[in-house]
């Protein structure tokens, strides 16, 4: 996550807490995580935790919002990802963003119970790109284009989730190239293999 300039010690403490929270969320739901348990795991006292967050729910909300805002900032750098000239650079940046935030995104995108975060990402994608693309290139297109959009978006999200689940062995550049091929070539790519 890109952050404002913050004291290095504060940033380190917040990072320790976020790493610890991600570890615990892989094992159990947020409702079952206590501040004491998290503080003990990352070896800080509870008072330090409360300097940053009200409770574990507040911490998770703040992390989700920071990731969401950072992702929106990334999205806003691209006029349209549905243009072939913009697709690869956007996808590379998107996969790099995932790699930089892998611990928490693994929890937010791959574990049950965080569907709201995935829905927020999909909504901002639709609002920022798909509707703009329709207005610009296909103002009189049929309603079936919504199915195309859903298919592409769900497929891209699925690729990103699969990459997280399998340990991100490929580079962001490799994943961007593969995803772009899937978007523009579809099944033709696999027929030649």
């Amino acid at each position: 996550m890109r952050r404002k300039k913050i004291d290095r010690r504060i940033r380190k403490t917040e990072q320790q807490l976020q790493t610890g929270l991600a570890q615990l969320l892989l094992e159990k739901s947020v409702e079952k995580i206590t501040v004491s348990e998290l503080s003990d795991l990352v070896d800080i006292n509870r008072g330090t935790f409360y300097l940053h967050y009200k409770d574990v729910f507040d911490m998770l909300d703040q992390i989700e919002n920071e990731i969401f805002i950072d992702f929106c900032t990334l999205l806003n750098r691209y006029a349209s990802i549905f243009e072939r000239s913009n697709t690869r650079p956007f996808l590379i940046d998107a996969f790099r963003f995932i790699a930089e935030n892998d611990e928490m995104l693994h929890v937010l995108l791959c574990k049950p119970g965080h569907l709201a975060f995935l829905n927020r990402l999909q909504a901002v994608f639709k609002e920022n790109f798909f509707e703009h693309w329709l207005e610009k290139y296909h103002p009189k297109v049929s309603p079936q284009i919504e199915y195309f959009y859903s298919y592409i978006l769900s497929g891209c999200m699925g690729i990103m989730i699969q990459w997280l689940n399998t340990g991100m062995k490929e580079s962001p550049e490799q994943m961007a190239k593969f995803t772009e091929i899937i978007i523009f070539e579809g099944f033709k790519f696999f027929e030649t293999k």
Side-chain angles (χ1 to χ4, degrees):
M1 279 177 276
R2 244 187 37 231
R3 311 269 316 241
K4 297 176 197 152
K5 283 198 172 193
I6 298 176
D7 181 291
R8 193 180 341 203
R9 291 169 298 171
I10 293 172
R11 195 170 43 234
K12 182 179 177 191
T13 300
E14 288 179 348
Q15 187 57 50
Q16 285 176 286
L17 286 166
Q18 289 177 16
T19 299
L21 181 61
Q23 289 173 4
L24 291 172
L25 285 169
L26 290 173
E27 301 168 13
K28 58 177 95 175
S29 67
V30 67
E31 296 86 15
K32 295 182 179 177
I33 298 172
T34 66
V35 172
S36 295
E37 177 182 28
L38 177 56
S39 298
D40 289 345
L41 177 66
V42 299
D43 197 27
I44 65 164
N45 67 50
R46 286 177 16 155
T48 302
F49 175 91
Y50 288 116
L51 288 173
H52 301 273
Y53 309 102
K54 289 186 278 189
D55 54 28
V56 177
F57 294 100
D58 176 54
M59 180 182 175
L60 184 57
D61 284 345
Q62 285 187 41
I63 292 168
E64 283 183 16
N65 285 330
E66 287 174 15
I67 289 173
F68 182 76
I69 289 166
D70 288 348
F71 190 71
C72 287
T73 300
L74 182 144
L75 287 176
N76 289 331
R77 284 188 272 175
Y78 295 90
S80 175
I81 61 162
F82 289 102
E83 295 173 15
R84 192 177 277 271
S85 62
N86 258 351
T87 306
R88 179 84 55 94
F90 165 74
L91 290 170
I92 290 170
D93 282 350
F95 280 103
R96 284 179 180 159
F97 180 83
I98 292 168
E100 290 166 5
N101 297 283
D102 65 322
E103 291 174 330
M104 193 53 68
L105 283 174
H106 190 266
V107 170
L108 295 175
L109 297 176
C110 304
K111 293 297 173 190
H114 294 282
L115 193 55
F117 185 75
L118 183 59
N119 289 340
R120 273 178 83 185
L121 289 179
Q122 290 177 334
V124 76
F125 237 95
K126 183 174 185 178
E127 184 180 308
N128 286 9
F129 293 106
F130 183 66
E131 291 171 2
H132 166 76
W133 177 72
L134 281 181
E135 287 173 19
K136 186 173 179 181
Y137 298 105
H138 303 284
K140 295 182 181 181
V141 77
S142 73
Q144 283 84 11
I145 198 73
E146 290 279 345
Y147 292 111
F148 168 75
Y149 167 77
S150 294
Y151 175 78
I152 294 295
L153 183 59
S154 295
C156 289
M157 291 291 183
I159 289 170
M160 291 174 180
I161 290 168
Q162 180 67 15
W163 188 55
L164 279 165
N165 277 332
T166 57
M168 301 183 310
K169 295 175 185 94
E170 300 84 3
S171 72
E173 293 77 13
Q174 290 171 311
M175 291 305 299
K177 181 178 179 182
F178 176 70
T179 304
E180 186 179 54
I181 289 169
I182 298 278
I183 290 170
F184 291 109
E185 306 296 328
F187 288 110
K188 288 190 282 186
F189 173 76
F190 294 104
E191 290 170 357
T192 61
K193 296 291 175 192

